[in-house]
């Protein structure tokens, strides 16, 4: 099997309204190539625009317009397409949103499935879809072993001073409240890619990375390649101002507002997660790309943008101070890669900790490759790095395979 | 003489001079000033003359800090009746922060909520305003960007530019920000929802976050800043100390980012001798801000902590509520 080009790993990555997939062929962590890639768009979305599947094999690209009512329907279509190509797959890997403290990467077996079910409430929007895709793959391709990789696992190295919520011990024991963090796969990839690009040893580096997505966003302090702090918490609510999430708020505000709103926790969870952030501030859009053109004429748009920038600056400054200075600042994901104005504003006035931006390099930064944005000789290297969560899942799967064991109940 | 009154539930505290002269010498009072912890959106001046109108305003903001504000209100009501001819002032701790820029005072929540008094009010304004004056006296009139750190059982940090607030760690309530003697500080608000869903009442949750958390939850009910700063103690105390230090370092870094770097870090604590270790350790960890601190000496009010040639200066201030109140009261008396 190894001689015929190595192990093939199919990776599924469930977004809230998309399903990204890749088939990798690997002989080792450093020798991984993509055989098939693609993305199902507008999954389980009702709207005027049609949903479609994007499917790339080698140089061939295909776009299939078809109703995609659910994530498992999209996954089913991907398996059918791969089957019709006659492409052998040895492993299927899935991103799992929030593994609690239970696992980093694990084979899917009955025991794991029951543990995954208990974790569904930790991410009520993403987890059910992820679970259904896993179950579908088990039914459709029962002979292919599957594994899941927990997205927050990269943050398992947080020290107690960063993850502890100073609440009564009985409460902590009963509920398991602590900071977990998110976007771990993305951070794991970008800090490694940044170190390789800069030719600095990851094992003795200090970095701040910002994963700025069209939905969720966070920042992380990474010391010697290990996460030591991050802006999200027990859930994905705290931290940066996001598209529809408030980010940091006074916890006492939550009880005050529940008082006003008749103690309805669900209503308020909804309000802070889906109607706050850029949407709540701007009053018209959760998308920073819609907000930027209106900065001059619309005070609400101006406030939304300024708050987004300031919150991010505060986290970068806080982590730079906590790390005793940094070697690199990394921007990633859609907003981090594409939004030049945002990067320019965030890096303005940050020379005190060595962060400077080269205006020209920032303007010309590529969206599909790594770009160095700081001027030559700058103390802190500022980079835009496209993230590759699927590749990290593949790496994790290779590590499992390398361990030489497979799920116990594989039929 | 100037009489100063601080609500310290369940009682009132009077300024030292008054206590030293035996009881409260009302007849000798040339002015009376009351500390008002939270002025809500109604009291936006550092000092407000006590009048029937301002009393009504204070009554309307009792709900923001019921325990403290109600004491202030009742005391002022009674005294105004007793001594109507003596000038009396509310010295308001949140007033200094009523000029916070919008991006620091607003929460990223829908505007319908923001119109219901949901904003960041800050606190300890009497201290930070005084600290700004003292910092300029000590470091010169050229000082513009100051990170003002107040250490204690309830620590907080403020970012100041040219004497005006740019940001603060204290938010809607004084629980937000750093962990304190009994408050949890910044935690994921989703915790609150889960506690509520599990059946805890709102007042139980409030009590848990503000009175049963912080050092108390980590170490025990008798642990305050003084105990935390002491070298001894087990793993629990070490974690609490580390969390406070780490939290202050992060706040200072965050505020340096907003100010575009700092000119001075002004560190204040009530007891110089009890906070020596903590303060020097804090200075050592602020190197990324450009602060050089290699010395170790006993602290005293007005001491310069930074090395000569350090890009950022650090000074120690002995925090004294009465002193900052007296300073503010004097300004108010002069202005009438």
């Amino acid at each position: 099997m190894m001689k015929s080009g190595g192990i093939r790993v199919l990776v599924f990555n469930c977004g809230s309204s998309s399903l990204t997939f890749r088939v990798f062929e690997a002989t080792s962590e450093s020798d991984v190539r993509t055989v098939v890639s693609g993305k199902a768009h507008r999954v389980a979305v009702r709207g005027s625009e049609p949903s479609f599947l994007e499917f790339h094999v080698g140089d061939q690209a295909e776009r299939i317009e078809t109703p995609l009512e659910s994530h498992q329907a999209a996954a089913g279509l991907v398996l059918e397409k791969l089957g019709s190509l006659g492409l052998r797959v040895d492993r299927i890997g899935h991103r799992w949103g929030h593994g609690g403290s239970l696992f980093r990467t694990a084979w899917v077996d009955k025991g794991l499935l029951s543990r995954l079910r208990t974790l569904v409430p930790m991410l009520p929007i993403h987890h059910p879809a992820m679970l259904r895709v896993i179950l579908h793959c088990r039914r459709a391709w029962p002979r292919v072993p599957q594994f899941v990789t927990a997205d927050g696992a990269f943050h398992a190295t947080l020290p107690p001073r960063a993850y502890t919520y100073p609440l009564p011990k009985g409460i902590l024991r009963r509920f398991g409240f602590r900071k977990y963090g998110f976007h771990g796969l993305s951070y794991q990839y970008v800090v490694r890619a940044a170190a390789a690009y800069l030719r600095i040893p990851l094992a003795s580096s200090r970095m701040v990375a910002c994963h700025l997505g069209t939905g969720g966003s966070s920042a992380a302090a990474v010391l010697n390649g290990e996460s030591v702090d991050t802006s999200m918490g027990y859930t994905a609510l705290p931290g940066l101002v996001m598209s529809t999430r408030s980010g940091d708020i006074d916890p006492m505000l939550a009880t005050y507002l529940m008082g006003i709103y008749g103690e309805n926790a669900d209503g308020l969870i909804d309000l802070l997660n889906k109607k706050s952030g850029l949407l709540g501030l701007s009053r018209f859009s959760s998308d920073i790309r819609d907000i930027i053109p209106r900065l001059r004429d619309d005070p609400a748009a101006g406030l939304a943008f300024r708050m987004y920038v300031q919150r991010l600056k505060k986290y970068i400054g806080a982590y730079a101070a906590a790390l005793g200075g940094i070697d690199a600042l990394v921007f990633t994901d859609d907003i981090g890669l594409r939004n030049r104005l945002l990067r320019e504003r965030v890096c303005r006035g940050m020379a005190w900790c060595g962060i400077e931006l080269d205006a020209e390099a920032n303007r010309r930064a590529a969206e599909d490759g790594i770009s160095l944005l700081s001027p030559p000789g700058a103390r802190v290297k500022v980079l835009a790095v496209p993230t590759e969560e699927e590749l990290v899942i593949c790496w994790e799967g290779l590590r499992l395979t390398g361990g030489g064991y497979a799920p116990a109940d594989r039929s | 003489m100037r009489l100063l009154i601080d609500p310290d539930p369940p009682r009132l505290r009077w300024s030292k001079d008054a206590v030293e002269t035996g009881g409260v010498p009302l007849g000798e009072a040339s002015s009376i000033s009351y500390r008002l912890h939270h002025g809500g959106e109604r009291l936006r001046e550092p000092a407000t003359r006590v009048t029937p109108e301002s009393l009504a305003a204070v009554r309307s903001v009792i709900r923001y800090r019921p325990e403290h504000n109600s004491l202030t209100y009742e005391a002022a009501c009674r005294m105004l009746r007793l001594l109507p001819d003596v000038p009396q002032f509310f010295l308001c701790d949140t007033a200094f922060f009523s000029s916070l820029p919008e991006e620091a005072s607003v929460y990223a929540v829908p505007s319908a909520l923001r119109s219901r008094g949901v904003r960041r009010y800050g606190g300890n304004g009497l201290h930070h305003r005084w600290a700004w004056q003292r910092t300029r006296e000590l470091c010169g009139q050229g000082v513009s960007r100051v990170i003002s750190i107040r250490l204690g059982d309830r620590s907080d940090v403020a970012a100041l530019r040219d004497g005006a607030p740019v940001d603060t760690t204290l938010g809607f309530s004084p629980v937000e920000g750093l962990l304190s003697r009994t408050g949890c500080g910044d935690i994921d608000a989703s915790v609150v929802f889960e506690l509520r869903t599990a059946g805890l009442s709102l007042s139980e949750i409030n009590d848990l976050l503000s009175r049963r958390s912080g050092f108390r939850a980590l170490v025990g009910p008798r642990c305050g800043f003084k105990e935390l700063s002491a070298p001894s103690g087990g793993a629990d105390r070490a974690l609490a100390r580390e969390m406070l230090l780490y939290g202050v370092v992060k706040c200072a870094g965050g505020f340096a980012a907003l100010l575009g770097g700092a000119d001075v870090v002004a560190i204040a604590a009530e007891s110089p001798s009890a906070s020596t270790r903590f303060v020097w350790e804090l200075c050592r960890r602020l190197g990324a801000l450009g602060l050089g601190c290699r010395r170790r000496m006993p602290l005293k009010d007005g001491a310069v902590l930074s090395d000569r040639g350090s890009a950022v200066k650090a000074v120690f201030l002995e925090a004294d509520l009465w002193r900052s109140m007296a300073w503010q009261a004097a300004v108010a008396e002069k202005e009438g």
Side-chain angles (χ1 to χ4, degrees):
Chain A
M1 186 171 76
M2 299 295 281
K3 279 175 191 158
S4 68
I7 295 177
R8 289 220 189 97
V9 183
L10 164 62
V11 172
F12 280 117
N13 184 351
C14 266
S16 41
S17 62
S18 68
L19 178 75
T20 308
F21 60 93
R22 298 266 284 271
V23 179
F24 296 99
E25 197 170 82
T27 54
S28 72
E29 258 190 46
S30 53
D31 176 32
V32 180
R33 70 185 188 93
T34 302
V35 185
V36 177
S37 66
K39 186 172 182 175
H41 297 264
R42 308 184 57 77
V43 178
V45 175
R46 253 185 279 169
S48 49
E49 287 173 56
S51 49
F52 63 97
L53 182 75
E54 197 191 320
F55 199 91
H56 303 268
V57 190
D59 300 338
Q60 306 273 307
E62 203 180 338
R63 180 187 153 116
I64 307 162
E65 276 193 24
T66 177
L68 296 168
E69 283 153 12
S70 64
H71 287 80
Q72 73 262 35
L77 191 58
V78 173
L79 296 187
E80 268 176 42
K81 287 286 293 175
L82 293 174
S84 69
L85 287 172
L87 201 77
R88 186 202 78 238
V89 167
D90 304 306
R91 304 275 183 270
I92 303 176
H94 302 268
R95 185 174 78 96
W96 182 257
H98 193 320
S101 312
L102 294 179
F103 64 91
R104 178 187 179 105
T105 294
W107 290 114
V108 176
D109 54 22
K110 279 182 188 145
L112 185 81
L113 282 171
S114 68
R115 281 196 286 169
L116 294 183
R117 284 195 186 93
T118 67
L119 292 167
V120 163
M122 307 281 286
L123 267 183
I125 298 167
H126 297 81
H127 277 171
M130 290 170 176
L131 193 58
R132 281 196 291 268
V133 169
I134 295 170
L135 292 172
H136 181 86
C137 291
R138 249 168 102 84
R139 273 194 306 273
W141 288 8
R143 288 175 179 283
V144 181
Q146 298 190 63
F147 64 92
V148 288
T149 294
D151 181 64
F154 182 62
H155 300 300
T157 48
L158 291 187
R161 68 178 188 188
Y163 74 64
T164 304
Y165 290 151
L167 300 171
K169 285 173 180 155
I171 292 285
L172 295 183
R173 261 198 302 277
R174 180 170 159 207
F175 292 91
F177 294 139
R178 54 159 283 170
K179 180 185 281 191
Y180 285 112
F182 294 83
H183 300 136
L185 295 168
S186 176
Y187 290 127
Q188 193 176 339
Y189 177 78
V190 297
V191 298
R192 185 170 156 157
Y197 179 88
L198 295 170
R199 295 168 194 273
I200 59 171
L202 183 62
S204 59
S205 64
R206 299 169 300 175
M207 297 192 199
V208 173
C210 311
H211 177 105
L212 308 176
T214 48
S217 298
S218 70
V222 183
L223 178 65
N224 304 333
E226 293 187 340
S227 175
V228 291
D229 209 343
T230 188
S231 61
M232 281 180 172
Y234 177 66
T235 69
L237 176 62
L240 303 177
V241 174
M242 293 171 245
S243 57
T244 61
R245 286 182 216 134
S246 63
D248 292 327
I249 61 162
D250 189 334
M252 298 293 274
L253 199 53
T255 57
Y256 177 79
L257 290 173
M258 273 194 278
I260 291 181
Y261 283 83
E263 308 203 2
N264 181 352
D266 287 342
L268 207 53
I269 291 170
D270 201 61
L271 204 70
L272 293 176
N273 280 283
K274 296 186 189 152
K275 298 186 179 103
S276 293
L278 290 174
L279 179 62
L281 290 167
S282 73
R283 302 193 184 116
F284 73 92
S285 177
S286 60
D287 191 333
I288 200 157
R289 289 166 298 187
D290 296 338
I291 288 168
I292 285 175
R294 290 170 66 163
L295 290 184
R296 285 215 184 130
D297 322 313
D298 182 348
L303 176 65
F305 185 70
R306 286 200 310 279
M307 280 190 67
Y308 188 102
V309 169
Q310 291 236 9
R311 187 78 56 83
L312 182 54
K313 282 182 84 126
K314 267 166 75 166
Y315 271 98
I316 294 170
Y319 291 159
L323 291 170
I326 55 172
D327 308 307
L329 170 65
V330 181
F331 289 100
T332 192
D333 212 35
D334 290 343
I335 308 293
L337 284 177
R338 304 211 164 99
N339 212 305
R340 298 166 175 89
L341 179 72
L342 177 75
R343 287 194 302 247
E344 196 261 317
R345 291 293 165 82
V346 168
C347 295
R348 191 184 280 180
M350 295 289 277
W352 63 273
C353 65
I355 295 171
E356 285 174 85
L357 214 57
D358 181 325
E360 191 53 34
N362 185 43
R363 224 180 350 260
R364 282 198 312 223
E367 289 171 8
D368 54 356
I370 300 187
S371 314
L372 179 66
L373 310 174
S374 47
R379 187 145 57 91
V380 176
K381 309 294 178 205
V382 182
L383 297 170
V385 179
T387 192
E388 294 249 24
E389 294 181 336
E390 294 81 22
L391 183 57
V392 177
I393 297 170
C394 175
W395 286 342
E396 288 282 320
L398 290 175
R399 211 169 287 169
L400 269 189
T401 307
Y405 53 93
D409 68 338
R410 183 153 72 95
S411 45
Chain B
M1 64 158 289
R2 183 180 294 136
L3 190 58
L4 305 172
I5 298 173
D6 173 42
D8 184 20
R11 57 186 188 279
L12 291 167
R13 292 199 301 158
W14 310 78
S15 55
K16 268 183 224 145
D17 348 354
V19 176
E20 277 159 13
T21 48
V24 180
L26 290 184
E28 293 167 34
S30 56
S31 78
I32 307 174
S33 293
Y34 312 84
R35 182 183 190 195
L36 178 67
H37 275 257
H38 202 311
E41 291 192 302
R42 297 284 302 276
L43 287 105
R44 303 171 72 95
E45 296 299 322
T48 304
R49 186 79 186 247
V50 180
T51 61
E53 292 75 34
S54 65
L55 274 169
V58 169
R59 193 173 51 204
S60 76
V61 299
I62 286 177
R63 65 194 162 96
Y64 287 102
R65 283 293 290 281
E67 272 189 309
H68 294 80
N69 280 4
S70 58
L71 277 176
T72 301
Y73 172 73
E74 281 156 23
C77 276
R78 235 174 325 157
M79 293 291 241
L80 190 66
R81 235 177 296 131
L82 232 73
L83 304 166
D85 299 326
V86 177
Q88 303 185 28
F89 303 94
F90 290 115
L91 306 182
C92 177
D93 256 323
T94 53
F96 179 63
F97 292 100
S98 63
S99 63
L100 266 183
E102 210 181 4
E103 48 270 36
S105 64
V106 160
Y107 288 104
V109 297
S111 52
L113 294 186
R114 284 181 268 143
S115 61
R116 304 187 74 156
V118 172
R119 54 163 284 165
R120 303 183 68 239
Y121 290 98
N124 259 332
L126 292 168
H127 168 77
H128 292 296
R129 198 154 187 254
W130 170 82
W132 161 256
Q133 298 293 337
R134 282 284 288 149
T135 302
R136 293 247 291 186
E137 283 165 26
L138 293 165
C139 302
Q141 301 299 304
V143 167
S144 161
R145 301 163 302 173
V146 173
I147 296 171
S148 175
I149 300 169
R150 191 182 189 286
L151 299 172
D153 286 348
R154 188 178 275 163
S155 307
D156 77 295
V157 186
L160 314 174
R161 182 184 280 122
D162 300 327
V166 172
D167 207 344
T168 163
T169 54
L170 299 169
F172 174 76
S173 83
V175 170
E176 188 176 347
L178 298 162
L179 77 163
S180 63
R181 185 171 187 137
T182 60
C184 62
D186 291 327
I187 61 163
D188 188 340
S190 303
V191 162
V192 171
F193 303 130
E194 198 166 324
L195 291 172
R196 179 74 196 108
T197 306
L200 274 76
S201 73
L202 292 183
S203 64
E204 279 170 334
I205 299 172
N206 277 338
D207 186 62
L208 191 138
L209 301 181
S210 63
R211 297 206 190 97
R212 298 205 288 126
S213 295
F215 311 155
R216 179 177 174 177
L218 293 170
V219 189
R222 276 180 301 278
C223 181
F225 175 72
K226 203 172 147 189
E227 288 71 30
L228 215 62
S229 193
S232 55
D236 289 341
R237 203 193 287 183
L239 176 62
R241 182 193 304 132
E242 185 56 35
M243 284 180 70
L244 184 61
L245 267 167
Y246 183 65
V248 175
V249 169
K250 284 204 290 183
C251 291
F255 288 168
L258 297 187
L259 294 170
D263 297 320
V264 182
V265 179
I267 305 172
E270 274 179 9
S271 164
S273 60
S275 41
T276 303
R277 252 174 56 93
F278 193 95
V279 168
W280 284 113
E281 177 59 20
L282 176 60
C283 286
R284 198 184 61 77
R285 294 196 194 190
L286 292 176
L289 272 70
L291 180 63
C293 275
R294 281 188 305 273
R295 288 176 297 175
R296 289 282 186 282
M297 57 188 186
L299 297 176
K300 64 172 202 290
D301 183 51
V304 175
L305 308 173
S306 45
D307 300 336
R308 205 165 294 164
S310 168
V312 173
K313 265 191 181 173
V315 294
F316 178 80
L317 306 175
E318 188 176 338
D320 180 341
L321 173 71
W322 303 122
R323 194 152 58 143
S324 46
M325 278 183 77
W327 180 84
Q328 189 64 63
V331 174
E333 285 159 19
K334 213 179 295 170
E335 289 168 358

